Amino acid sequence: MGLTENNEVVEMNTRKEDDPEEAAAKESLSIEQIFASKEVPPWQKQVTVRALVVSLVLSILFTFIVMKLNLTTGIIPSLNVSAGLLGFFFLKTWTKFVEKSGMLKQPFTRQENTVIQTCVVASSGIAFSGGFGSYLFGMSEVVAKQSSEDSSAKDIKNPALGWMIGFIFVVSFLGLFSVVPLRKIMIIDFKLIYPSGTATAHLINSFHTPQGAKLAKKQVRALGKFFSFSFLWGFFQWFFTAGDDCGFVSFPTFGLKAYEHRFYFDFSATYVGVGMICPYLINISLLVGAILSWGIMWPLIENRKGSWYSADLSPSSLHGLQGYQVFIAIAMILGDGLYNFLKVLSRTLLGLYKQLRKKDSGVVIPLAGNSSLQSTPSQSYDDQIRTQLFLKDQIPLWFAIAGYVTIAIISAATLPHIFHQLKWYYIVVIYIVAPPLAFCNAYGCGLTDWSLASTYGKLAIFTIGAWAGASHGGVLAGLAACGVMMNIVSTASDLMQDFKTGYMTLASPRSMFVSQIIGTAMGCVVSPCVFWLFYKAFSGLGLPGSEYPAPYALVYRNMSILGVQGFSALPKHCLTLCYVFFIAAVVINGIRDAVGKKWAGYIPLPMAMAIPFYLGSYFAIDMCVGSFILFVWGKINKAKADAFGPAVASGLICGDGIWTLPSSILALAGVKPPICMKFLSRGTNVKVDDFLAS
């Protein structure tokens, strides 16, 4: 929605600068009429060396951001806007410099901008679908010790750079080949919306008009200012973090008692920025979940220590309070996931039925090579031009099938060597059922903009884990199967979103497919390397209360344990509470859909509510601060807030995210901060003073 509003600002600025007659004439022109004088380069010239160099630089930047978010809260906003904006800025600067030297051979086009955006999002997306903050890290000994005291060696696989890169490579490309033959059906025949892809296309189209380029320069300037501020703020904070619970991140904003229950503002520029990008409802849902869990439920359950669970248990034991925190969160996530899966599946089947009925009733569907395409009365001028170019560069069906089968064979032969618990016939079954599921995910994403990749991954956890059984390493087999399934369905929906963007910017499907493959290949190397840097630099990675607790790693591992061993690990009354919250998640979603869009905006989202059940509310408070800033800014000047809000948010996220690189290098080099800033109660402070004075 924000992107559409940005484009409206561009149009408003255009009307102000032109006289009324010129403005009316321009308004009557469609997008493709505005670009009619600009030649569309062949697909080979859309995927340029300079575009790939810029893509690699931005991929590394965005991978650090996604990895940091993965290992802290798991909430990852859409970075398409930032990728499109920064891609435009870098390549525009490059071409201007080369043009001044008289060596520019090819102008910068919106098609090249689309290639950069596609490549960057494909690459940084591997940081999420690769499971470095969920299923992949959930295999490690660090997480296994938190989830079950009797984890055997066959259920543990510690991270190593070699096998992670190999695993990601053999599972990340299948999804691309699984839906390539369906691109015409999805984009042209069914005319699916793909909201994110459409919004990104509008953004890129606006950048390459004279007025859009002016606004983009101002947006980049705003992004740069807040990038610098965020980076320097992260650098400043580092000086005060010489020990545990030191620095601004441990500031007891609402008092020490509230801090003990994880209610505080931790001065994170990243999550203030994320809060500015995420819808208000998500941020409020997070805060509601935090108040319900850490403000009400956990103190009440803690009062029953000794009755509901042993008082001698460590705080990290799943048989104690943490068991309630983790498993109730899992119940809500599963309830929300099941409801949305059935909802999107039903909408998918209903949509398919309607499309097939249209086809049977004699509606003409444009086909490749159809010469009467331009004269189809129902098509606008833009649609005619876009459909022609979209069908021009065909990706042969035999190529897609051959690619899928070849990679599937290589994968089925390779994966059992990486995970001995994952038998080749498990993999074959996954690859047989994956294409229909990839289609469902891509189709549902086109209707609702929701990718249910993690839901399909959880389905694989329970089915493959139960099939393998506890005695044959079912926990690890389930987690590995989750990775295989999640990568296929995730890349399938991402590719179709990119095809929609390419369709609306006249980028060739071949250039989209090639840039997606190159971006995926980049991500297969960059993401494991960035995770490895985090893993080596931060000793507390994956531990509760640390800087990077990786909460979803424990959640995914416990899902796998539930699938294999049942509910034996749950503390007293935990299963009853899990049933209650599972049903509550389904009911709340049902009510949201029943009351309509107007009132649904006032009902919290169960998936968002579940996240702080385990983590606490500090990041929810940060994100609500971001929402509040945007809300006040919108009241003061809505046009500026709409135009520059995403740029400011991106700057805050990118600056703090990239600070992680030098802080990791300092940690690896053994350079420690010089100061520990701690906050003590008055009584504790008196004791410390007396001790130091003695």
Side-chain angles (χ1 to χ4, degrees), residues 293-311:
S293 56
W294 290 90
I296 300 171
M297 287 181 60
W298 304 157
L300 289 174
I301 293 175
E302 202 168 8
N303 288 338
R304 285 159 177 75
K305 185 191 293 184
S307 171
W308 283 22
Y309 60 94
S310 172

Side-chain angles (χ1 to χ4, degrees), residues 158-178:
N158 285 314
L161 196 57
W163 75 256
M164 287 192 299
I165 292 175
F167 171 72
I168 299 298
F169 254 109
V170 295
V171 300
S172 293
F173 293 91
L174 272 156
L176 303 180
F177 290 94
S178 65

Side-chain angles (χ1 to χ4, degrees), residues 167 170-171 410-420 422 427 431 484:
F167 171 72
V170 295
V171 300
I410 293 169
S411 182
T414 307
L415 286 175
H417 292 285
I418 300 174
F419 303 104
H420 301 297
L422 194 65
I427 302 164
Y431 289 161
V484 176

Side-chain angles (χ1 to χ4, degrees), residues 53-128:
V53 171
V54 169
S55 297
L56 179 59
V57 173
L58 291 178
S59 294
I60 294 169
L61 167 64
F62 285 173
T63 299
F64 269 98
I65 294 166
V66 174
M67 197 66 71
K68 180 174 181 175
L69 297 174
N70 246 339
L71 296 171
T72 48
T73 65
I75 301 173
I76 299 162
S78 172
L79 296 171
N80 296 44
V81 179
S82 307
L85 185 61
L86 286 171
F88 174 82
F89 168 70
F90 277 119
L91 213 46
K92 195 72 177 175
T93 306
W94 183 328
T95 51
K96 272 198 171 183
F97 177 77
V98 175
E99 190 175 17
K100 284 181 181 177
S101 64
M103 298 171 63
L104 185 65
K105 295 179 181 178
Q106 183 182 334
F108 178 37
T109 62
R110 56 185 173 141
Q111 290 80 25
E112 204 172 355
N113 204 158
T114 306
V115 164
I116 294 171
Q117 184 269 334
T118 299
C119 200
V120 171
V121 172
S123 179
S124 57
I126 299 291
F128 170 71

Side-chain angles (χ1 to χ4, degrees), residues 5-24:
E5 289 168 357
N6 283 348
N7 292 329
E8 287 170 7
V9 171
V10 173
E11 289 166 12
M12 281 184 352
N13 290 342
T14 305
R15 294 185 201 112
K16 285 178 185 175
E17 290 176 12
D18 298 327
D19 64 59
E21 286 184 17
E22 280 184 291

